[in-house]
Amino acid sequence: MFDLILTNTETVPGREIVRHLGLVQGSTVRAKHVGRDIMAGLKNIVGGELKGYTELLSDAREEATRRMCEEAKTMGANAVVNVRFSTSSVTAGASELYAYGTAVILS
Amino acid sequence: MGGFITVAILLAIGLVFGQINEQNHFKRLRRDEEDLSDILTVNLKDLPLEMQPNGMLVSGNVVVAVDYFKKIATGIKQLFGGRLRSYESLVERARREAIVRMKKEARDIGADAVYNVRLEFTSMGQQPRQAFGGVELLAYGTAVKLK
C-alpha cells in the first residue's frame, strides 16, 4: 500500500536505524455526507455497525497516512517508526484524522 | 397521538432487531476470535530478538451504534445513574470487532504476531441530544513474523 516501512514500535525488527530525520505528520479533515447520514439515521433504529462511517474513517486515515509518508519521502527516509493516530472533532459533523511518526533511515 | 404510535413502533423495532443484531454479532465475534487465535497480540513495545526482518503497520476500525430502544432506556436510566449495560456491550462489541479486523489484516499479509497494539476511541455523536450516538474504535499495531 505504501512503499515505506511503517511500524508503531520504536525499532524495526531485524533492521538498524542509521539516522533519525525528525517528526513527520499528515492530517485530513472530513465531514460526513448527507446520504450516509440518512442511512446512518435509519441504521440507528436497529443499532449495529454503521458501514458508511467505518469506510469514511478508514479512507480518511489512509489519506492522512499517505500524506505523512510523502513528507517522509521528501526527507529521504525509508521508514517511519512509532506511528500514532489520533482523532479530534473540530466542529459538529466533521473530524480531523491525524497520523504522526518519526522518519528514519534504515541500514 | 400519531407521534406516540411512531415512537412505540420504533421502540419495538429497536428492541427486537437490536437484540437479534447484537446476539448475531457476539456469535460472529466468538467464531472469528477462535479462528484468529493463532495470531499473537501483545501491547509490548519491545520486540523479541528472534523474528524475521521488517514489520508492517496493521489496523482495524469499526463504527457501531446502539439501537433506538436502548437509547431511550439509557436516557431514563441516566436519571438514576449507575451501570449502563447497553453501552458496556456497545463498546465491548466495537473493541472486539476492531481487534478481529486488525488480526485479519495481519493474517492477510502473512504475519503471525501483532506487537504494540494500541486502541483509540472516538465518540461520533456531536451533541448529546442528536440522533446519532455511535462510537468508533480503532486498533493498530505492528505485524511481524516470528521465526
Side-chain angles (χ1 to χ4, degrees):
Chain A
M1 186 162 51
F2 310 105
D3 42 351
L4 286 172
I5 293 171
L6 295 176
T7 66
N8 74 339
T9 51
E10 279 156 28
T11 52
V12 178
R15 303 282 292 265
E16 205 184 326
I17 293 170
V18 188
R19 246 181 87 194
H20 286 110
L21 296 173
L23 195 72
V24 284
Q25 53 198 349
S27 79
T28 176
V29 179
R30 293 286 171 104
K32 24 187 217 146
H33 75 77
V34 184
R36 271 176 175 153
D37 225 28
I38 292 167
M39 279 311 292
L42 290 176
K43 196 70 210 279
N44 232 309
I45 298 166
V46 292
E49 187 186 350
L50 308 170
K51 287 213 175 67
Y53 283 131
T54 307
E55 258 168 48
L56 180 81
L57 287 167
S58 70
D59 286 353
R61 211 163 266 130
E62 210 178 300
E63 173 75 38
T65 315
R66 193 163 55 242
R67 287 185 185 170
M68 181 185 73
C69 287
E70 272 159 22
E71 198 186 325
K73 261 186 267 174
T74 57
M75 290 168 96
N78 59 1
V80 182
V81 296
N82 214 6
V83 176
R84 295 277 181 274
F85 292 108
S86 87
T87 319
S88 41
S89 59
V90 270
T91 168
S95 39
E96 189 207 21
L97 285 297
Y98 182 59
Y100 59 103
T102 304
V104 295
I105 298 177
L106 299 174
S107 56
Chain B
M1 194 62 202
F4 183 73
I5 292 170
T6 317
V7 170
I9 291 172
L10 288 179
L11 278 175
I13 293 174
L15 180 62
V16 176
F17 288 96
Q19 283 296 329
I20 295 173
N21 254 349
E22 189 177 299
Q23 273 159 20
N24 286 343
H25 193 195
F26 274 123
K27 221 179 277 171
R28 202 171 62 239
L29 279 175
R30 273 194 293 274
R31 201 182 56 226
D32 286 347
E33 278 168 358
E34 182 91 5
D35 189 40
L36 292 160
S37 58
D38 56 319
I39 294 175
L40 179 75
T41 50
V42 285
N43 65 351
L44 296 174
K45 268 188 188 173
D46 300 317
L47 302 162
L49 292 171
E50 294 83 31
M51 60 169 60
Q52 286 175 22
N54 297 343
M56 196 174 170
L57 200 69
V58 287
S59 63
N61 75 326
V62 64
V63 179
V64 284
V66 285
D67 59 60
Y68 193 72
F69 177 80
K70 279 185 173 174
K71 196 173 139 56
I72 300 296
T74 307
I76 297 164
K77 186 78 198 281
Q78 269 171 341
L79 297 174
F80 309 103
R83 202 174 149 187
L84 298 175
R85 281 201 186 77
S86 50
Y87 276 82
E88 281 178 1
S89 77
L90 178 77
V91 285
E92 189 196 335
R93 278 163 74 185
R95 218 162 257 146
R96 283 167 68 180
E97 181 69 38
I99 292 173
V100 161
R101 287 184 185 180
M102 180 190 70
K103 281 179 154 186
K104 273 186 185 153
E105 202 182 311
R107 173 179 280 174
D108 286 347
I109 60 165
D112 52 19
V114 186
Y115 271 81
N116 203 16
V117 176
R118 293 276 179 272
L119 289 161
E120 183 88 30
F121 174 92
T122 320
S123 173
M124 296 276 297
Q126 307 93 12
Q127 282 128 37
R129 295 264 173 269
Q130 208 133 16
F132 179 61
V135 295
E136 195 224 3
L137 248 297
L138 167 74
Y140 62 102
T142 302
V144 292
K145 203 165 170 56
L146 300 170
K147 259 171 196 162

